[in-house]
């Protein structure tokens, strides 16, 4: 299993970024997929999750209405569109795979994640 994130960077408050995560080594379309983040000195925080077919999505209250998760199963790629970014969104962002495949609902447990991509929101 390999997950490779990209798209992070430095952006001003109010700006936008689009993160990507290319998956390989497993059947991507079988799994719920997550974006999680870790700010300096803090624990891992769940950001968003998407159903294996892309039909259902969920967001943490901190990003709801600003971030959009999506996936392209033909390209084995997960995305996170981040708009109206805030300084408190500064963190390393990881894509992660659900621990169990084929579930009707996400387990909120991850068994694989990538190396992450850094997002810094600062003026």
């Amino acid at each position: 299993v390999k997950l490779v994130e990209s798209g992070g960077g430095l952006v001003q408050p109010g700006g936008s970024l689009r993160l990507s995560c290319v998956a390989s080594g497993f059947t991507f379309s079988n799994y719920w997929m997550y974006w999680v983040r870790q700010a300096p000195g803090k624990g891992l925080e769940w950001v968003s999750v998407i159903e294996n077919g892309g039909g259902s999505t969920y967001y943490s209250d901190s990003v709801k209405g600003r971030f959009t998760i999506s996936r392209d199963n033909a390209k084995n790629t997960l995305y996170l569109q981040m708009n109206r970014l805030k300084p408190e969104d500064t963190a390393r962002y990881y894509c992660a795979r659900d621990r169990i495949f084929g579930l009707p609902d996400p387990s909120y447990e991850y068994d694989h994640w990538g190396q992450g991509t850094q997002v810094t929101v600062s003026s």
Side-chain angles (χ1 to χ4, degrees), residues 18 25 45 52 60 119:
R18 189 193 196 203
E45 176 190 11
N52 51 344
S60 68
V119 172

Side-chain angles (χ1 to χ4, degrees), residues 7-123:
L10 173 64
V11 63
Q12 292 187 339
S16 298
L17 282 174
R18 189 193 196 203
L19 306 184
S20 299
C21 170
V22 178
S24 60
F26 66 102
T27 304
F28 181 68
S29 59
N30 280 351
Y31 290 84
W32 288 79
M33 294 294 297
Y34 303 80
W35 285 101
V36 298
R37 67 187 181 185
Q38 187 167 28
K42 295 190 177 181
L44 209 58
E45 176 190 11
W46 167 74
V47 174
S48 184
V49 60
I50 186 168
E51 183 192 9
N52 51 344
S56 295
T57 58
Y58 303 99
Y59 299 91
S60 68
D61 288 343
S62 60
V63 307
K64 196 175 297 181
R66 299 187 297 121
F67 290 11
T68 303
I69 190 171
S70 62
R71 65 192 296 163
D72 185 337
N73 285 345
K75 295 182 178 180
N76 287 351
T77 303
L78 179 72
Y79 302 100
L80 186 68
Q81 177 67 44
M82 305 187 296
N83 298 329
R84 305 201 313 272
L85 283 159
K86 304 176 180 180
E88 51 264 44
D89 294 319
T90 295
R92 193 160 189 86
Y93 284 71
Y94 302 86
C95 68
R97 189 185 82 167
D98 200 294
R99 189 174 64 84
I100 305 172
F101 81 91
L103 291 174
D105 300 293
S107 74
Y108 294 98
E109 298 177 355
Y110 333 116
D111 64 350
H112 291 279
W113 48 91
Q115 85 290 346
T117 185
Q118 179 66 36
V119 172
T120 302
V121 185
S122 175
S123 54

